[in-house]
């Protein structure tokens, strides 16, 4: 199971430790006494600004990446996109998926504000519970298999081949893919700031478009056979809408409704967030 910012996560599911190389000594994530990092509420600068609350499994990597999206793209690009503001929600030592869903579900939000959640396959036991509760609450899910590190890697190169919940190969490739990530996850440093943050974007938008294209390819290459990225559902869903069935909700990334989520290996749905925000124009496929 991958680490986040020097903290360690939930131990492996039964039998997965040997296959995926999970460290069974790692600490358990999330509890009823989670100490959530405060979310300093910043009111929208205009009625047009889109506001999203995004709960993160990880304590460091994902929140810092979301801060990068705010800083780089949140102003709307001189009218090119709708301006947005993401409020990351995280907790000390991180969160297991179902606790991440609960964190954003229970957070008080104003009308029109959206709820999203980012969590990984790793070796978590509670993913089915998290997916069910997210569907019931209209919380958009960005699921990554094996981990969010895959999304970072896709900015630089494609990735294929089953990972079985282990991020070992993903991290190895990421370190070799760009000099800024040479020491990624060395001494538990999984931060996304400085040179690492700069490497995820360029003035022409080529890097982020590449990441989206690679992520879409993983949908199309899914072993299920009927998964198509063109079938993804891009539109935001109001929190007070009638909930969709769990399988339909989990298929918003373009996977077939009968494609088991845990079999989507490797895959990451983070691209949906960027397309939804207008950072990448996914209409030109």
């Amino acid at each position: 199971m991958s680490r986040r910012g020097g903290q360690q996560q939930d131990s492996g599911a039964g039998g997965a430790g040997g296959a995926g190389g999970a460290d069974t000594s790692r600490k358990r994530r999330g509890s009823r006494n989670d100490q959530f990092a405060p979310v300093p509420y910043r009111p929208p600068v205009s009625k047009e600004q889109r506001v999203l609350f995004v709960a993160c499994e990880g304590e460091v990597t994902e929140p810092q990446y979301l801060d990068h999206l705010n800083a780089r793209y949140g102003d709307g690009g001189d009218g090119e996109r709708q301006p947005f503001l993401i409020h990351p929600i995280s907790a000390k030592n991180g969160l297991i998926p179902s606790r991440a869903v609960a964190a954003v579900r229970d957070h008080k939000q104003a009308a029109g504000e959206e709820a999203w959640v980012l969590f990984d396959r790793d070796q978590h036991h509670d993913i089915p519970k998290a997916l069910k509760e997210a569907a019931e609450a209209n919380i958009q899910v960005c699921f990554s298999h094996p981990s969010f590190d895959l999304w970072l890697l896709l900015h630089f190169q494609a990735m294929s081949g089953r990972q079985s919940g282990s991020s070992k190969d993903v991290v190895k490739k990421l370190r070799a893919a760009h000099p800024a990530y040479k020491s990624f996850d060395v001494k538990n440093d999984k931060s996304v700031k400085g040179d690492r943050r700069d490497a995820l974007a360029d003035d022409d938008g080529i890097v982020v478009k590449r990441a989206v294209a690679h992520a879409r390819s993983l949908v199309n290459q899914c072993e299920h056979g009927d998964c198509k990225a063109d079938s993804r559902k891009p539109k935001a869903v109001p929190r007070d809408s009638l909930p969709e069935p769990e399988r339909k909700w989990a298929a918003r990334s373009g996977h077939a409704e009968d494609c088991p989520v845990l079999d989507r290996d490797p895959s990451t749905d983070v691209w949906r967030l960027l397309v939804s925000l207008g950072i990448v124009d996914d209409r030109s496929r």
Side-chain angles (χ1 to χ4, degrees):
M1 182 165 189
S2 64
R3 295 181 293 277
R4 292 287 184 274
Q7 302 297 337
Q8 298 178 326
Q9 298 190 33
D10 196 21
S11 58
D23 182 352
T24 56
S25 68
R26 291 176 180 170
K27 296 179 182 178
R28 192 169 192 80
R29 311 196 92 181
S31 72
R32 293 183 181 275
N33 298 316
D34 294 321
Q35 297 180 1
F36 295 107
V39 181
Y41 185 78
R42 292 166 288 178
V45 297
S46 68
K47 293 181 179 180
E48 291 74 29
Q49 188 179 50
R50 188 171 166 187
V51 178
L52 303 86
F53 288 82
V54 184
C56 305
E57 174 193 333
E59 178 185 2
V60 172
T61 314
E62 294 94 326
Q64 288 187 354
Y65 176 77
L66 296 176
D67 286 340
H68 155 66
L69 296 185
N70 277 331
R72 181 83 186 191
Y73 305 105
D75 63 359
D78 295 327
E80 297 174 8
R81 302 177 303 274
Q82 181 181 4
F84 64 82
L85 177 62
I86 299 173
H87 292 283
I89 300 174
S90 60
K92 185 177 181 180
N93 298 327
L95 295 164
I96 59 174
S98 60
R99 289 295 297 151
V101 171
V104 71
R105 180 193 63 204
D106 298 340
H107 196 282
K108 292 182 179 179
Q109 298 165 19
E113 296 175 343
E114 301 171 43
W116 291 67
V117 64
L118 307 181
F119 60 81
D120 302 344
R121 173 63 185 99
D122 290 327
Q123 305 294 338
H124 291 305
H125 300 274
D126 68 328
I127 290 176
K129 179 177 186 289
L131 293 170
K132 179 177 183 296
E133 293 178 351
E136 292 172 347
N138 286 329
I139 297 170
Q140 301 269 15
V141 175
C142 290
F143 172 69
S144 296
H145 193 319
S147 68
F148 184 82
D149 304 338
L150 172 63
W151 172 245
L152 300 179
L153 175 63
L154 295 182
H155 287 73
F156 313 113
Q157 67 177 65
M159 177 74 181
S160 62
R162 297 183 69 85
Q163 304 300 305
S164 302
S166 172
S167 292
K168 181 179 179 180
D169 288 344
V170 174
V171 170
K172 181 180 179 180
K173 291 180 182 296
L174 179 58
R175 289 172 179 165
H178 194 283
Y181 287 86
K182 184 177 181 179
S183 61
F184 186 78
D185 203 16
V186 174
K187 296 182 179 180
N188 294 340
D189 177 13
K190 301 194 72 172
S191 62
V192 182
K193 56 186 179 181
D195 290 346
R196 292 180 185 173
R197 178 176 293 191
D198 293 342
L200 300 177
D202 63 327
D203 291 340
D204 295 327
I206 294 174
V207 173
V208 69
K209 290 177 182 177
R210 180 193 302 140
V212 170
H214 286 156
R216 284 173 48 86
S217 293
L218 290 177
V219 178
N220 296 333
Q221 295 167 17
C222 181
E223 293 180 358
H224 181 272
D226 291 330
C227 301
K228 302 296 180 186
D230 284 354
S231 299
R232 57 95 185 166
K233 305 298 189 299
K235 293 184 179 180
V237 179
R239 292 292 306 280
D240 57 356
S241 299
L242 290 176
E244 295 182 352
E246 177 185 345
R247 294 206 303 180
K248 185 175 181 180
W249 190 250
R252 292 182 64 81
S253 59
H255 286 277
E257 290 186 25
D258 59 344
C259 177
V261 174
L262 299 185
D263 288 349
R264 302 171 187 176
D265 179 15
S267 69
T268 177
D269 300 335
V270 181
W271 69 280
R272 285 187 55 243
L273 174 61
L274 276 72
V275 169
S276 179
L277 292 172
I279 295 171
V280 175
D281 185 355
D282 195 43
R283 291 175 297 179
S284 55
R285 296 193 269 265

